[in-house]
Amino acid sequence: MKKLIPALFILLLILAACGSNDSADSNKKADSADNEGEMITYDSEDGPVEVPADPKRVVVLSSYVGDLIDLDVPIVGADAWSMQNPRFKDALKDAEEVTEDDLEKIIELKPDLIIGLSSLKNLDKLKEIAPTVTFTYGKLNYLDQHVEIGKLVNKEDEAQAWVDDFTKRAAEAGEQIKENIGPDATVSVVENFDKQLYVYGDNWGRGTEVLYQAMGLNMPEKVKEDALEAGYFALSTEVLPEYMGDYVIFSKFDDADTSVEDSESFQNTAAAKNDRVYEVDGNAFYFNDSNTLDYQLEFIKESFLGK
């Protein structure tokens, strides 16, 4: 009998835990059901917009797909760059590739919310299809932008929680990297796209926000002069060494011309000689949404720290 009492007690605890989980799931489903059809007012750049409290069919015509994936918001249509991102493949497996010109196709997708940039064409026509909210690129910093997307889809708390956690993780990794490579070491972000080389400032995706803003790593002076204010700068292979830091994140696309890597000007840089050029998949590294920022952070940690 004495042996049966602890066993009975454990069984009661398990049943209680199951009941608690069932209750939490029920509450979550109830919350979702409560939001069904409900509209909230979002204070957009262009004034208040009535949007769904729990959007179910979102068309995204810009670089915010990763933010919405992380906030568990269903996407039925997305831009070409997002559709080509291998990291978004599963989340977008049922979505259609669309542009702002594909009005008929967007109508067929029956969106309950459309999100894009302020430069969108056909904005008035898109607003006739569904509530449409646009953002001006760069008006908000990359972290505030995620929180703003959270406000739009009624998930501000989740968005803010990610920002707080990401900021802490990136700062800690940045301190470790600075200790490892030295306080004066520089890092460049170079991209080879469509037969053209580019270097980037601190707010143009490709890991620039993580390296320069979140971690506080140094940018080469030449990059600072030509790319920081504009965001990016196009350059030739001949002058590339002037923009190569002690370490380089080199973004490449599958169909890119890779002859620059064989050039003397590239091979003679300190980064190439010391095996400090870290190649990334351009399609996966392109954006600065929360999903991509997490990926970039982990890649940078592994490249610079080996973990």
Side-chain angles (χ1 to χ4, degrees):
M1 184 63 184
K2 288 180 179 178
K3 292 182 179 179
L4 288 176
I5 291 174
L8 180 59
F9 180 67
I10 291 171
L11 178 60
L12 289 171
L13 285 177
I14 293 172
L15 290 173
C18 290
S20 177
N21 289 338
D22 289 345
S23 176
D25 289 344
S26 298
N27 289 338
K28 191 173 181 180
K29 290 174 182 175
D31 288 344
S32 179
D34 288 345
N35 287 334
E36 196 77 35
E38 180 185 347
M39 303 294 282
I40 60 174
T41 301
Y42 172 71
D43 187 14
S44 78
E45 288 181 13
D46 302 318
V49 182
E50 294 294 308
V51 299
D54 186 20
K56 299 293 189 186
R57 300 183 63 82
V58 181
V59 166
V60 190
L61 299 171
S62 57
S63 58
Y64 308 120
V65 165
D67 297 299
L68 294 162
I69 290 174
D70 279 1
L71 293 170
D72 199 23
V73 175
I75 298 170
V76 295
D79 66 292
W81 281 103
S82 297
M83 296 298 288
Q84 292 169 13
N85 189 325
R87 290 177 46 74
F88 297 167
K89 186 176 180 181
D90 288 343
L92 299 180
K93 66 181 186 302
D94 297 323
E96 295 284 338
E97 181 178 319
V98 289
T99 73
E100 64 244 68
D101 293 321
D102 296 329
L103 297 175
E104 291 298 325
K105 196 170 181 179
I106 292 174
I107 290 172
E108 291 172 4
L109 292 175
K110 300 178 179 177
D112 56 6
L113 178 63
I114 299 173
I115 303 173
L117 293 175
S118 54
S119 56
L120 270 183
K121 291 190 294 182
N122 298 315
L123 186 55
D124 289 341
K125 293 177 181 175
L126 289 168
K127 287 180 178 178
E128 292 175 3
I129 298 172
T132 301
V133 173
T134 62
F135 298 97
T136 301
Y137 185 83
K139 186 172 183 177
L140 299 173
N141 72 43
Y142 68 109
L143 298 175
D144 289 343
Q145 183 65 65
H146 182 66
V147 174
E148 204 60 30
I149 295 289
K151 290 178 184 176
L152 171 60
V153 297
N154 204 21
K155 296 190 176 187
E156 181 180 359
D157 289 346
E158 291 96 319
Q160 186 61 56
W162 177 85
V163 168
D164 295 342
D165 179 57
F166 177 83
T167 303
K168 181 173 182 291
R169 286 185 286 123
E172 289 174 351
E175 290 305 313
Q176 294 174 28
I177 290 173
K178 281 184 277 192
E179 289 179 10
N180 195 39
I181 68 176
D184 299 323
T186 58
V187 184
S188 299
V189 177
V190 179
E191 186 175 86
N192 185 13
F193 174 70
D194 198 21
K195 300 180 181 180
Q196 177 63 60
L197 288 172
Y198 298 90
V199 291
Y200 290 91
D202 67 353
N203 67 342
W204 217 258
R206 287 93 169 166
T208 57
E209 289 85 358
V210 182
L211 291 166
Y212 301 129
Q213 295 193 49
M215 293 181 170
L217 301 184
N218 298 317
M219 183 183 296
E221 284 301 318
K222 193 65 176 168
V223 177
K224 197 180 294 183
E225 288 175 17
D226 294 329
L228 183 56
E229 185 174 350
Y232 62 92
F233 182 72
L235 66 162
S236 66
T237 303
E238 288 71 26
V239 300
L240 176 62
E242 300 175 37
Y243 297 84
M244 294 275 278
D246 300 307
Y247 296 78
V248 174
I249 300 293
F250 191 46
S251 178
K252 295 167 56 178
F253 294 83
D254 289 341
D255 55 350
D257 179 3
T258 59
S259 59
V260 63
E261 295 171 83
D262 300 322
S263 68
E264 189 174 329
S265 60
F266 182 89
Q267 289 295 334
N268 284 335
T269 61
K273 286 181 176 177
N274 293 305
D275 197 23
R276 291 170 177 170
V277 178
Y278 306 128
E279 295 186 359
V280 299
D281 178 346
N283 283 314
F285 224 70
Y286 190 78
F287 294 125
N288 56 9
D289 58 82
S290 60
N291 191 292
T292 304
L293 287 163
D294 273 330
Y295 172 59
Q296 293 165 345
L297 175 57
E298 291 306 310
F299 178 88
I300 292 167
K301 283 171 58 180
E302 185 175 345
S303 299
F304 285 80
L305 301 173
K307 62 181 181 180

